[in-house]
Amino acid sequence: DSPQSPDDEDTFKILVATDIHLGYLEKDPVRGNDTFVTFNEILDHAQKNEVDFVLLGGDLFHENKPSRKTVHSCLESLRKYCMGDRPVQFEILSDQAVNFHYSKFPWVNYQDENLNISIPVFSIHGNHDDPTGADALCALDILSCAGLVNHFGRSTSVEKIAISPILLRKGRTKIALYGLGSIPDERLYRMFVNKQVTMLRPKEDEDSWFNLFVIHQNRSKHGATNYIPEQFLDDFIDLVVWGHEHECKITPFQNEQQRFYISQPGSSVVTSLSPGEAVKKHIGLLHVKGKKMKMEKIALETVRTFHIEDVVLADHPDLFNPDNPNVTQAIQAFCMEKVELMLDNAERERLGNPHQPEKPIIRLRVDYAGGFEPFSIYRFSQKYMHRVANPKDIIHFFRHRGQKEKKDIDLNFGKLVSRPTEAMTLRVEDLVKQYFQTAEKKVQLSLLTERGMGEAVQEFVDKEEKDAIEELVKFQLEKTQRFLKERRTEAEEEKIDEEVIFSVGRDHKQSVPVGTLCGVFFFVSTTNIFFLLCLLSFSVFVKLSFLSFACPGLSLLI
């Protein structure tokens, strides 16, 4: 059902977008400004449609620590389009100190007497721009402090989450806006299963609210627990805006079990050369009146066109014979013909849209299984240097494997890093987990858990948090010291060992083998010698530290 009068005083108009990824490929001479141009287009649509507010579903930035250029361009756009004298037509009924309690200024920006905000922006964080470091800050917190974005949906607890909505009212329409910033999928999955995620509802007239939930997690199944099933969400929700997934499925689709609707706006920039990214990019203009809604699709005109096609050489036995000495040249000519057709299609599409960038993104994936040999990609790409935006990866050769690889393989980090497979995406957490799963049990002597170790290494690699591993060691050290003090363990090495082993066994957590940490840290950073030495001597460090508590005279030794 849709609102009868989309522009009356009881109707919310909300511009919905997710995964803008500001700063993606910002140093690329051709594609460097794509994300900034499209962000301006998004905000321009918000201004022209005189929306009540903009709702972003995470990953506004591509990098956890965006460059000065990226932050500057973002601030420039928000100031240009979102500040002004046009009055905001809705009010907030909930306790803003609860909604924005992580902010230094815990109230919505348009109510700040020092700011003139015409279009408020509400945003959760994604996995690319999530809070990290000792201060647990993210790029959105900078925008929040500047008064340009209202960052909500943040939760730091690893045990229990209570999502308190922002309660909005415009005329007779009331919206309960729920948000949950990105959390590691496995952790959130486990919290849902253990009934540790609660969505708080208004005490009065709870059935009169339009319940809107913004989430940024895997929606499609990437593993047993590496996603969030839709049925985990509460059935009182009316609409879920789902971020993180880049394929545009913005038209609301009803979940048959829970009966709520899901809108997946997708990304506004192509960040991976996969079929889902080739779907036309849209943002949404959401109208809400009472309990009725309508999502109007708005096509983004400034997005660089992307064309992708798959070719299986074995499907063309009439054209290609592996025994033919000239078969490689024939394959190259065939691929050039395919690329030319894609370029023609891209040019026809661009002629109908003058705002679209001139050079398209082209991807031809060639399955060469069946005895064929790939030709030189470098020489092939030289022919299209001035015609496509991605000449270096215009062709991708792969071999389709009919049978899955053996599960009990010997993990080799060097091979994993160097293996040129597009289908495989490396996650540091997975590498750490696999490494320790294949380690010998007899050398597992450490107190560090596999999960904690994986998350710390990921922070160190992906987010450039230099103190992440040190903080893990410090946290586990303090936790162990507290445990030993509570147990009133005597300051004897054997007693400490006994209690510590009891503690780890009681928690039923797989511990990280100190003797095998060397392999992981060589993979992460060969220069990180300090952390490596800390971890290799961790069990000794725990004992000495506890002895210093029990025997103050030993503090000088430590």
Side-chain angles (χ1 to χ4, degrees), residues 322 368-373 399:
Y368 69 104
F372 299 99
E373 292 295 330
R399 281 181 175 172

Side-chain angles (χ1 to χ4, degrees), residues 218-270:
N218 277 330
R219 183 181 171 198
S220 55
K221 190 172 183 179
H222 293 266
T225 61
N226 196 15
Y227 77 115
I228 303 302
E230 296 173 10
Q231 60 266 25
F232 278 7
L233 307 184
D234 286 292
D235 56 6
F236 71 83
I237 300 171
D238 296 295
L239 176 65
V240 179
V241 174
W242 206 300
H244 185 61
E245 303 283 0
H246 280 205
E247 183 176 353
C248 183
K249 299 178 179 178
I250 199 166
T251 302
F253 174 84
Q254 190 172 31
N255 179 285
E256 295 182 357
Q257 292 176 311
Q258 306 294 80
R259 308 304 296 171
F260 51 65
Y261 285 85
I262 297 175
S263 172
Q264 181 180 301
S267 67
S268 59
V269 63
V270 176

Side-chain angles (χ1 to χ4, degrees), residues 443-447 512-518 535-539:
V443 294
Q444 295 189 358
L445 305 174
S446 173
L447 304 175
V512 171
V514 171
T516 56
L517 282 170
C518 185
L535 291 166
L536 287 173
S537 59
F538 184 66
S539 59

Side-chain angles (χ1 to χ4, degrees), residues 66-299:
S67 68
R68 276 180 284 189
K69 174 189 175 181
T70 296
V71 174
H72 183 271
S73 296
C74 180
L75 292 169
E76 179 185 7
S77 299
L78 290 170
R79 178 168 175 171
K80 177 181 178 181
Y81 290 101
C82 299
M83 299 188 79
D85 294 327
R86 186 173 71 88
V88 175
Q89 301 291 337
F90 66 91
E91 57 182 329
I92 295 185
L93 306 179
S94 53
D95 185 352
Q96 297 184 44
V98 174
N99 299 142
F100 309 111
H101 67 285
Y102 287 104
S103 173
K104 297 295 183 181
F105 304 92
W107 53 82
V108 71
N109 62 347
Y110 76 86
Q111 290 183 347
D112 193 309
E113 59 184 13
N114 297 310
L115 299 171
N116 259 9
I117 302 296
S118 58
I119 303 177
V121 177
F122 293 87
S123 179
I124 63 171
H125 62 260
N127 58 305
H128 279 256
D129 50 16
D130 60 332
T132 59
D135 298 321
L137 292 173
C138 66
L140 286 179
D141 293 319
I142 297 175
L143 303 182
S144 173
C145 191
L148 296 173
V149 165
N150 302 293
H151 180 202
F152 74 110
R154 181 168 169 177
S155 175
T156 58
S157 173
V158 296
E159 298 177 354
K160 185 175 292 187
I161 296 176
I163 307 174
S164 184
I166 304 174
L167 302 180
L168 314 172
R169 182 172 65 190
K170 182 181 181 184
R172 289 175 293 179
T173 299
K174 298 184 293 184
I175 294 180
L177 176 59
Y178 296 85
L180 184 61
S182 177
I183 294 174
D185 289 298
E186 296 89 343
R187 182 194 303 169
L188 186 58
Y189 186 103
R190 186 171 56 253
M191 295 174 78
F192 269 113
V193 169
N194 295 332
K195 308 296 182 184
Q196 294 172 331
V197 181
T198 306
M199 298 184 72
L200 306 176
R201 302 188 67 179
K203 293 182 179 179
E204 298 180 2
D205 302 323
E206 64 177 26
D207 293 330
S208 66
W209 296 83
F210 183 87
N211 299 294
L212 175 58
F213 182 35
V214 192
I215 187 173
H216 190 101
Q217 304 290 153
N218 277 330
R219 183 181 171 198
S220 55
K221 190 172 183 179
H222 293 266
T225 61
N226 196 15
Y227 77 115
I228 303 302
E230 296 173 10
Q231 60 266 25
F232 278 7
L233 307 184
D234 286 292
D235 56 6
F236 71 83
I237 300 171
D238 296 295
L239 176 65
V240 179
V241 174
W242 206 300
H244 185 61
E245 303 283 0
H246 280 205
E247 183 176 353
C248 183
K249 299 178 179 178
I250 199 166
T251 302
F253 174 84
Q254 190 172 31
N255 179 285
E256 295 182 357
Q257 292 176 311
Q258 306 294 80
R259 308 304 296 171
F260 51 65
Y261 285 85
I262 297 175
S263 172
Q264 181 180 301
S267 67
S268 59
V269 63
V270 176
T271 63
S272 64
L273 303 184
S274 59
E277 294 272 28
V279 177
K280 181 71 177 175
K281 306 289 187 182
H282 292 82
I283 54 176
L285 185 58
L286 176 65
H287 301 267
V288 178
K289 182 178 181 181
K291 295 285 285 185
K292 297 180 179 180
M293 70 170 179
K294 173 188 175 184
M295 180 73 81
E296 179 184 338
K297 294 171 61 176
I298 300 177

Side-chain angles (χ1 to χ4, degrees), residues 484 489 492-500 543 546:
L484 292 173
T489 306
E492 296 178 14
E493 185 171 336
E494 293 77 9
K495 297 261 180 106
I496 295 175
D497 273 338
E498 182 181 337
E499 291 292 353
V500 166
K543 295 171 189 175
F546 181 71

